């Protein structure tokens, strides 16, 4: 594998979210917020570097939008370089993590931020197509790569 961005910039991580008493209270009706979703995806591993998507500034808390009433979650990400060949894989990894982590009634949308990639329209179309995503995940080699991206840094 040829690494396209040999020396990426590394950014400071956001402080960990403080746990409150309501987090342990099963009788408390809690809505999902942007910070909760960000915490789900912040530690996804970059396929090329031993760094998280947060550390590479591919994801930040402002890239997550939640609408609990409509049960929708939208995440926009910014590849480290405008012609990143791993952008589809990164988007697929984010999508899979959300599908595995959010309640099943949530509709997820993962897309590249406008103007952040040379092929953003084509990649966004692929990520929005349920059948293409399902077909990609049937490929065992690709699924292994996605699962490696989903491993947190403590399990690598």
């Amino acid at each position: 594998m040829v690494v396209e961005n040999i020396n990426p910039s590394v950014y400071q991580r956001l402080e960990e979210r403080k746990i409150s008493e309501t987090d342990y209270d099963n009788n408390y009706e809690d809505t999902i917020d942007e910070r909760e979703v960000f915490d789900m995806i912040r530690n996804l591993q970059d396929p090329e570097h031993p760094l998280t998507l947060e550390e590479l500034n591919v994801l930040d808390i402002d890239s997550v939008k939640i609408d609990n009433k409509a049960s929708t979650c939208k995440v926009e990400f910014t590849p480290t370089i405008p012609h990143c060949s791993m952008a589809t894989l990164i988007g697929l990894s984010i999508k899979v993590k959300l599908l595995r982590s959010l309640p099943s009634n949530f509709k997820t949308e993962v897309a590249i931020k406008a103007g952040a990639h040379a092929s953003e329209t084509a990649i966004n179309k692929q990520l929005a197509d349920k059948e293409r995503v399902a077909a990609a995940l049937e490929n065992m080699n690709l699924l292994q790569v996605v699962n490696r991206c989903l491993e947190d840094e403590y399990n690598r």
Side-chain angles (χ1 to χ4, degrees):
M1 175 169 79
V2 176
V3 177
E4 292 178 342
N5 190 0
I6 294 173
N7 193 16
S9 299
V10 179
Y11 296 82
Q12 186 171 350
R13 293 173 50 90
L14 202 62
E15 195 175 302
E16 293 293 326
R17 185 172 70 103
K18 304 286 188 250
I19 306 273
S20 69
E21 290 205 20
T22 58
D23 288 332
Y24 296 108
D25 184 355
N26 291 332
N27 297 319
Y28 180 77
E29 189 171 324
D30 189 20
T31 58
I32 297 171
D33 62 12
E34 284 81 2
R35 180 58 195 254
E36 188 174 355
V37 172
F38 178 69
D39 285 345
M40 289 175 193
I41 60 176
R42 71 189 291 188
N43 291 319
L44 294 178
Q45 300 295 306
D46 181 80
E48 289 184 314
H49 303 287
L51 298 165
T52 68
L53 297 184
E54 179 187 19
E55 290 168 330
L56 292 171
N57 207 33
V58 171
L59 290 171
D60 61 36
I61 192 146
D62 296 328
S63 63
V64 179
K65 303 293 181 237
I66 294 288
D67 183 345
N68 280 287
K69 289 183 180 171
S71 296
T72 60
C73 172
K74 180 174 183 175
V75 175
E76 291 185 321
F77 67 100
T78 306
T80 57
I81 52 177
H83 55 278
C84 176
S85 64
M86 297 288 150
T88 306
L89 180 58
I90 291 168
L92 185 60
S93 298
I94 296 167
K95 182 100 173 165
V96 168
K97 180 65 175 182
L98 294 173
L99 290 171
R100 291 180 183 176
S101 302
L102 288 171
S104 59
N105 65 318
F106 263 77
K107 182 179 187 294
T108 61
E109 180 184 346
V110 176
I112 295 175
K113 280 187 184 169
H117 195 277
S119 303
E120 73 187 64
T121 304
I123 294 171
N124 288 344
K125 185 176 179 180
Q126 290 175 349
L127 293 171
D129 187 332
K130 285 189 224 179
E131 291 173 5
R132 279 185 166 176
V133 169
L137 296 175
E138 288 177 4
N139 178 324
M140 284 301 133
N141 293 327
L142 185 56
L143 183 58
Q144 282 182 323
V145 175
V146 168
N147 284 333
R148 270 196 305 269
C149 291
L150 299 183
E151 292 176 357
D152 64 38
E153 62 255 286
Y154 305 110
N155 293 326
R156 284 193 142 219

